[in-house]
Amino acid sequence: MDPLDLDGTHPVDEKLPALKMATTGLQHVAAMYAGVVAPPLIVGAAIGLSGSELTFLTGACLFTAGLATFLQTLGVWRIGARLPFVNGVTFAGVAPMTAVVASTKDKSEALPVIFGAVMVAGLLGFVAAPFFSKAVRFFPPVVTGTMITLIGVSLLPVAFGWAQGPDPAAGDYGSAKYLGLAAATLLIVLLLRRFTRGFVKQIAVLLGMVAGTLLAIPFGLTDLGPVAHADVIGFPTPFHFGAPRFQLAAILSLCVVMVVSMTESTADMLALGEIVERPADERTITAGLRADTIGSALSPLFNGFMCSAFAQNIGLVAMTRIRSRYVVATGGGFLVLMGLCPTAASLIAVVPRPVLGGAGVVLFGSVAASGIQTLVRAGLDRDTNVLVVAVSLAVGIIPITAPGFYHAFPETARIVLDSGISTGCVAAVALNLVFNHLGGGRDTQEVVPPMVHAVPHE
């Protein structure tokens, strides 16, 4: 039975006083901000975007994350779970997108190819949402845990590259000053996580990046140019980087990412429904997946990437016990405002790469750890599940440990094969079907949400 207030309002539908709504909404933004800006930074750096273009891409991703959060929390028709559900750029798409960049000779065409693939994947996901909510049993923890672990592992080399400096061709790349700055940033984040509580602890990564940037100023490693040249007010011009291009290999790769994203979102909705005492039924899951997918399909219009649920914000709901979806919608409003203010978006562009590298070790490592948490609950005492995880991880790690492994394959095929997320996901789903569903095998495990069960009770 729903826990209703005296006036009959469920806490999820409660509208708090304006000041409390604003402060708690900002806390949600702080918890997910680093996760939203990291993907455009990674992809933009791989393409070689200038500081101003990187600022634009970051602002666009903040703007579209805000719109997707509105759609998820407030809802339109049968779209939106109408739960305190934050949406932002998914990490799962980063490795396939960088693979697209690497395979594109003219880097100026990389973003249009990515945007076209995201649009198609989003539209297909929207159509598939009602069916996917029924097929979720094929994505138990042994599959989702493997996927999430591979996401984190695939991104860690990016953090290590950042830690060595901004230019791999420079003579001082990997020098002590860069590695020292990365290590100092990592240490600051760890100290904040160890010795602070509450809100400060939640934004430890963000504070570590600020501290690392300030620490870099005396050494001349911080470039404030992007802020000086950024406009106070701006709008993410539709198709700023060019009209979308539709390339089959990229579309297939991002469709795999959409499956990963929908699986994570389903798990998150099930968890959040329990936390706020409004269990997510099949209709809620379908509506939530529709918001994820149509938000992703529309995101490239404003130069944004694929959007999905942010599990760390679910942990924040559990910790604060503030269950109002309007609080999260207020956070979405702040994201939109930040996206419309290039000066705010440019602040992240001034952060030195080694600082990002130090923070990325925590950020990306936490994603991998989240996957391991899910795997712990996956029933690894069963030999079949151990085989699924072992082979899927091995297949997914091939592009990381042996980058030239698929060099003899056609270039279009390598867009998919060079993404450990894509190949590992396909392997995990296929092996799970073979060992746990076909031929009398059966896996009755429920989908387990990542990261939620590790929330500290302070």
Side-chain angles (χ1 to χ4, degrees), residues 22 122 153 408:
V153 172

Side-chain angles (χ1 to χ4, degrees), residues 58 84 129 132 148 196 218 226 235 243 280 339 351 357 363 387 393-394 399 403 422 452 455:
T58 303
F132 191 90
I148 298 165
T196 62
F235 184 79
V351 179
L363 196 62
L387 285 173
L393 285 178
S422 300
V452 175
V455 177

Side-chain angles (χ1 to χ4, degrees), residues 145-433:
T146 301
M147 293 175 181
I148 298 165
T149 302
L150 281 173
I151 292 170
V153 172
S154 296
L155 291 174
L156 279 171
V158 175
F160 302 148
W162 281 346
Q164 297 180 76
D167 184 7
D172 61 352
Y173 185 70
S175 64
K177 64 179 180 181
Y178 291 135
L179 297 181
L181 182 58
T185 303
L186 174 59
L187 180 61
I188 292 169
V189 172
L190 293 176
L191 290 174
L192 288 171
R193 288 291 299 174
R194 173 63 181 85
F195 295 107
T196 62
R197 300 174 67 84
F199 182 61
V200 174
K201 186 173 184 176
Q202 284 289 329
I203 61 172
V205 173
L206 186 61
L207 293 177
M209 291 168 65
V210 172
T213 302
L214 294 175
L215 186 63
I217 292 177
F219 300 96
L221 302 179
T222 302
D223 179 14
L224 299 176
V227 176
H229 296 97
D231 297 326
V232 177
I233 299 175
F235 184 79
T237 313
F239 299 132
H240 175 80
F241 296 98
R245 297 167 61 91
F246 302 98
Q247 187 182 97
L248 180 59
I251 290 171
L252 291 175
S253 185
L254 269 297
C255 281
V256 171
V257 174
M258 180 56 73
V259 171
V260 177
S261 175
M262 292 172 73
T263 304
E264 290 184 50
S265 291
T266 299
D268 290 336
M269 276 184 274
L270 292 171
L272 186 59
E274 293 298 322
I275 290 170
V276 302
E277 297 181 66
R278 179 180 279 181
D281 55 17
E282 187 176 307
R283 183 174 179 177
T284 301
I285 292 173
T286 299
L289 292 178
R290 283 175 175 155
D292 267 11
T293 53
I294 199 65
S296 295
L298 295 175
S299 186
L301 174 64
F302 299 104
N303 313 283
F305 297 141
M306 189 180 290
C307 294
S308 71
F310 267 51
Q312 57 263 46
N313 290 83
I314 297 175
L316 191 59
V317 172
M319 186 175 68
T320 63
R321 300 182 184 275
I322 297 175
R323 295 176 279 183
S324 171
R325 61 190 173 104
Y326 295 103
V327 165
V328 176
T330 301
F334 284 120
L335 289 170
V336 169
L337 291 175
M338 292 170 70
L340 296 175
C341 179
T343 300
S346 69
L347 292 175
I348 195 67
V350 308
V351 179
R353 292 287 171 83
V355 171
L356 289 173
V361 170
V362 177
L363 196 62
F364 305 154
S366 295
V367 176
S370 168
I372 294 171
Q373 288 173 348
T374 305
L375 286 174
V376 168
R377 302 172 58 85
L380 293 184
D381 54 323
R382 296 171 54 185
D383 290 342
T384 55
N385 282 349
V386 172
L387 285 173
V388 171
V389 174
V391 176
S392 301
L393 285 178
V395 170
I397 291 174
I398 286 174
I400 303 172
T401 56
F405 190 81
Y406 299 110
H407 73 277
F409 283 73
E411 188 172 306
T412 51
R414 288 180 58 189
I415 293 178
V416 177
L417 295 174
D418 283 342
S419 166
I421 306 299
S422 300
T423 54
C425 171
V426 171
V429 172
L431 290 170
N432 179 60
L433 284 172

